[in-house]
Amino acid sequence: MSTAQVTFDITPRTAPDVARARPAGVIHDVVAIAGRSLRAVPRDLEAIVPPVFIAFFFFIVNIGTLENLTQNNIAGFDYTAFEMATAVLLGVTGVSRAQALVIDVQNGYFDRLLLTPVRRSAILIGHMVADVAVSATLCVPIIGLAFALGIDFHAGVLGVLMFIVIAALWSLAFAGFGYAIALKTGNPAAVNSSFLLFFPFLFLTSSYVPRGQLSGWLDTVAGWNPVTYLLEGMRSLALTGWRWDDLGKAALALLVVFLVSFSLCFAALRARVNQR
Amino acid sequence: MQTTMRHRQEDLYQARDVEGTTDTGPSAIVAEGLTRTFGDAVTAVDGLDLTIRRGEIYGLLGPNGAGKSTTVKMLCTLLAPTGGRATVAGFDIASRPQQVRLHIGVALQDVALDPKQTGLELLRLQGQLYGLSRREIEQRLVELRALVDLGDALERRIETYSGGMRRRLDLAAALVHNPEVLFLDEPTTGLDPISRASVWQEVQRLNDDLGMTILLTTQYLEEADELADRVGIVDNGRLVAQGTPNELKRRVGTDVVVARIEGDPDAAQRALQGVYGVAAVESRDHELTISVDEGSSAIGPVAIALHDASIQVRDLTLRTPTLDDVFLELTGAHFDAEEDRS
């Protein structure tokens, strides 16, 4: 009698792996969006070069104009170190991807992002993370110029880092207004007009001379302008070292601007997403 | 491969808490009374009822302004409905939009690309946002390269692409994550005939090979005829008819006689009433579209009836019905005329 042996292949057969969408996680979303924003920066240099040029220009011109006047009247005053904070804020205020965001809205790419499972807030935060990185980078050549002009930074290396952090956070806080306008209007011209906010914030304050030299209405307005306290905090790092009361006021001023601008921009984001 | 993939799609539906089910099994898309108004004056979509089976290519056909794109935007969670409800891939579009987004791919009417990125960067970012691993993304890029047929242009910035290249890349972006349901909103508008044929081929392949459910809106009759398993005709935000292209055409009759006449079209219509084999007559300007049961038998009596009524016939054509004839019968207007009006 013969026997026949039949073998069955019981190895599970599976279809080729098919990539399927899954939630990526908020940090992953933010990193992906920020990466895209950062890749766009060198392709969009016209958004970066003018502010740096303005910062350099006013830094040099103001030193030439006011250095002798201030240093002759205030004993031991270092005008270059004093003016560095103004130059840095001139360079980083208004640096944001809000213009890119409004173009995304206009050309439909914003909708393409909304069609993905990306968290809505991550779209905004990703841009903002890129803004912080860009602003911090822009501080470096301006501070470098100040060192080349011979300043003595009293708070040391950590103080320089803190100086850059404050400037970058200010840039971010101010950018909130641009994002709010971008999301609210979807209009690039309106976003450009947010630059107008730049003038009261940066010129109705102690931009060019110490607060004590201001008088009358300008002194009153400067007292209400958060940038005054921001400048004083940053200047304290350069001129005197770590003065926590000045830094505390700077942090509070930042917080106030953050609360206002971020409330506006996240409300605008909600409105744009919810109308859909 | 084809069977396995189709089974895999079915398993996915059965594994989840499926909300859209019919007696034929889970449906890919179910809309019940779906409505969208803009302000008080404009009702873009007006109580749309729709059931699309999984693995089906469904063509939503209608002229500009009929409500097709608004319907798609609601189903893909870009636009909130103001009335009714809908499920896509088994998930409610209002209460579980995030789940819907994980299971759909969308190519909107206007290509939605970032011109500053390269094609590869854009596709990689899409993969990242859908949570694909780096290995999966690179694998998909290899597969999608063949689809978009852009060659080395994928490494170039999108701002350098032609309209057709952008359209193909937009489609690829919608497919990065192998969606279960694909929405294509007028995917071939603005494409040259060769690119259009290529998109048709790809849509058919996605459906055949992957069992992908595809909702396609179009204003091209031949596109719906060529691609769709079933067609829904939308007019003024309402679904006025649906069925397979052949079913819809049979509503008009077996054949159509088109008569271009001189004289009074109303008189011509009256003359054709009761003529043997004539099922319906529609007129536009000096053209009569006559639905008949059997064209070869009816064309003679039609010619005689018009002659007897002293209607001068410039030409008489016998043809099979088209979706345009269906649209004409349902809405009283030709498809292109509706488009012009809108």
Side-chain angles (χ1 to χ4, degrees):
Chain A
M1 192 172 104
S2 63
T3 57
Q5 187 174 356
V6 180
T7 357
F8 293 100
D9 180 3
I10 55 168
T11 310
R13 294 191 188 282
T14 54
D17 286 343
V18 177
R20 291 282 182 200
R22 47 192 172 269
V26 68
I27 293 179
H28 185 281
D29 285 349
V30 168
V31 168
I33 298 289
R36 175 206 165 213
S37 283
L38 287 172
R39 274 198 305 275
V41 170
R43 298 166 191 181
D44 207 9
L45 281 178
E46 62 272 21
I48 301 297
V49 172
V52 176
F53 174 78
I54 289 169
F56 271 78
F57 180 82
F58 279 103
F59 196 18
I60 301 290
V61 169
N62 288 339
I63 290 170
T65 310
L66 296 168
E67 186 175 39
N68 286 342
L69 184 69
T70 50
Q71 291 183 173
N72 290 343
N73 284 298
I74 307 169
F77 188 66
D78 179 353
Y79 188 76
T80 306
F82 171 87
E83 191 57 13
M84 176 176 60
T86 303
V88 164
L89 291 195
L90 279 170
V92 302
T93 304
V95 169
S96 85
R97 302 296 300 161
Q99 195 68 32
L101 182 66
V102 80
I103 290 170
D104 283 349
V105 170
Q106 279 205 320
N107 68 19
Y109 190 67
F110 189 75
D111 279 349
R112 154 100 32 237
L113 294 176
L114 292 182
L115 288 165
T116 70
V118 68
R119 283 151 190 79
R120 278 49 190 138
S121 55
I123 297 175
L124 204 46
I125 296 169
H127 281 297
M128 290 171 167
V129 167
D131 289 341
V132 169
V134 171
S135 298
T137 307
L138 291 183
C139 290
V140 173
I142 303 167
I143 295 170
L145 176 63
F147 275 108
L149 293 171
I151 66 153
D152 180 18
F153 206 101
H154 282 77
V157 176
L158 281 179
V160 173
L161 289 177
M162 175 59 84
F163 187 93
I164 292 173
V165 166
I166 294 172
L169 289 177
W170 160 253
S171 168
L172 181 58
F174 187 86
F177 295 113
Y179 286 117
I181 294 169
L183 290 165
K184 180 75 181 167
T185 66
N187 182 341
V191 175
N192 280 338
S193 71
S194 70
F195 189 73
L196 291 174
L197 287 172
F198 177 97
F199 292 102
F201 269 127
L202 285 187
F203 293 106
L204 300 181
T205 184
S206 54
S207 300
Y208 301 120
V209 292
R211 175 86 190 276
Q213 304 295 310
L214 301 180
S215 61
W217 68 269
L218 186 56
D219 184 43
T220 308
V221 172
W224 287 99
N225 186 346
V227 174
T228 302
Y229 304 99
L230 200 68
L231 284 170
E232 285 173 357
M234 293 170 76
R235 282 168 180 159
S236 70
L237 290 166
L239 293 166
T240 57
W242 294 87
R243 288 177 54 165
W244 295 105
D245 54 338
D246 285 338
L247 290 173
K249 286 178 192 169
L252 198 61
L254 265 178
L255 185 65
V256 168
V257 180
F258 259 118
L259 284 175
V260 174
S261 72
F262 272 48
S263 299
L264 291 173
C265 74
F266 278 95
L269 177 68
R270 272 194 303 277
R272 181 156 287 278
V273 171
N274 287 345
Q275 78 184 22
R276 304 169 161 276
Chain B
M1 164 77 176
Q2 183 175 326
T3 310
T4 316
M5 295 300 295
R6 280 190 181 277
H7 285 168
R8 189 171 261 245
Q9 295 275 14
E10 286 169 17
D11 293 345
L12 283 167
Y13 279 92
Q14 283 157 8
R16 74 175 64 119
D17 175 22
V18 174
E19 296 175 47
T21 55
T22 66
D23 53 1
T24 57
S27 300
I29 300 172
V30 179
E32 292 166 355
L34 198 64
T35 302
R36 175 70 199 205
T37 55
F38 294 96
D40 295 332
V42 180
T43 302
V45 177
D46 188 6
L48 189 82
D49 294 317
L50 196 64
T51 301
I52 299 175
R53 294 186 287 268
R54 64 174 190 274
E56 184 176 33
I57 301 180
Y58 189 95
L60 211 50
L61 182 67
N64 280 335
K68 307 185 298 294
S69 293
T70 306
T71 301
V72 166
K73 283 183 176 173
M74 284 192 284
L75 293 174
C76 67
T77 76
L78 267 186
L79 199 62
T82 50
R85 64 185 292 276
T87 60
V88 174
F91 299 103
D92 189 280
I93 59 169
S95 62
R96 302 177 76 182
Q98 194 71 353
Q99 284 299 321
V100 172
R101 289 176 200 129
L102 281 168
H103 295 90
I104 63 171
V106 186
L108 291 173
Q109 188 173 346
D110 297 317
V111 292
L113 302 170
D114 171 13
K116 296 279 185 189
Q117 293 186 82
T118 68
L120 277 179
E121 287 169 348
L122 183 124
L123 293 176
R124 281 203 182 98
L125 178 60
Q126 280 291 112
Q128 287 174 334
L129 297 179
Y130 281 103
L132 305 189
S133 68
R134 191 168 292 179
R135 186 185 60 79
E136 287 172 324
I137 291 171
E138 294 311 314
Q139 177 60 36
R140 287 298 290 149
L141 286 179
V142 171
E143 293 161 5
L144 290 168
R145 262 181 191 276
L147 162 66
V148 293
D149 192 25
L150 291 174
D152 294 339
L154 266 182
E155 276 98 37
R156 290 206 324 253
R157 287 195 210 167
I158 295 162
E159 62 195 356
T160 65
Y161 289 14
S162 68
M165 292 162 83
R166 286 176 193 228
R167 178 68 76 176
R168 295 204 297 277
L169 183 65
D170 196 54
L171 178 60
L175 294 170
V176 165
H177 55 296
N178 285 309
E180 292 166 44
V181 181
L182 179 64
F183 292 92
L184 298 174
D185 192 6
E186 304 199 6
T188 60
T189 299
L191 288 190
D192 60 75
I194 294 172
S195 299
R196 181 176 297 177
S198 160
V199 170
W200 287 5
Q201 199 176 14
E202 186 53 32
V203 169
Q204 200 66 64
R205 192 193 69 76
L206 289 167
N207 180 252
D208 290 345
D209 292 356
L210 302 177
M212 199 176 281
T213 306
I214 298 171
L215 173 59
L216 169 89
T217 78
T218 182
Q219 47 180 318
Y220 298 129
L221 300 162
E222 70 275 22
E223 189 162 277
D225 214 351
E226 171 78 20
L227 286 177
D229 299 319
R230 282 192 306 147
V231 172
I233 295 182
V234 190
D235 187 41
N236 290 324
R238 288 188 159 276
L239 190 68
V240 292
Q242 67 175 339
T244 67
N246 284 336
E247 282 170 356
L248 289 172
K249 287 179 213 169
R250 275 200 297 273
R251 292 175 63 133
V252 178
T254 313
D255 293 312
V256 170
V257 175
V258 179
R260 290 202 302 146
I261 60 167
E262 292 185 357
D264 181 8
D266 292 337
Q269 269 190 297
R270 282 195 300 274
L272 290 171
Q273 279 174 6
V275 172
Y276 170 78
V278 172
V281 183
E282 301 282 350
S283 74
R284 184 180 65 159
D285 300 330
H286 289 276
E287 184 176 289
L288 302 178
T289 304
I290 306 155
S291 306
V292 295
D293 293 332
E294 197 179 330
S296 55
S297 304
I299 194 164
V302 163
I304 292 165
L306 291 174
H307 180 265
D308 290 348
S310 303
I311 306 288
Q312 190 177 346
V313 179
R314 289 165 61 194
D315 57 56
L316 208 56
T317 313
L318 174 63
R319 60 171 171 76
T320 52
T322 65
L323 287 175
D324 187 36
D325 300 319
V326 180
F327 193 80
L328 176 65
E329 178 171 290
L330 291 167
T331 67
H334 275 289
F335 200 77
D336 55 345
E338 277 291 300
E339 195 176 334
D340 291 342
R341 188 184 70 188
S342 66

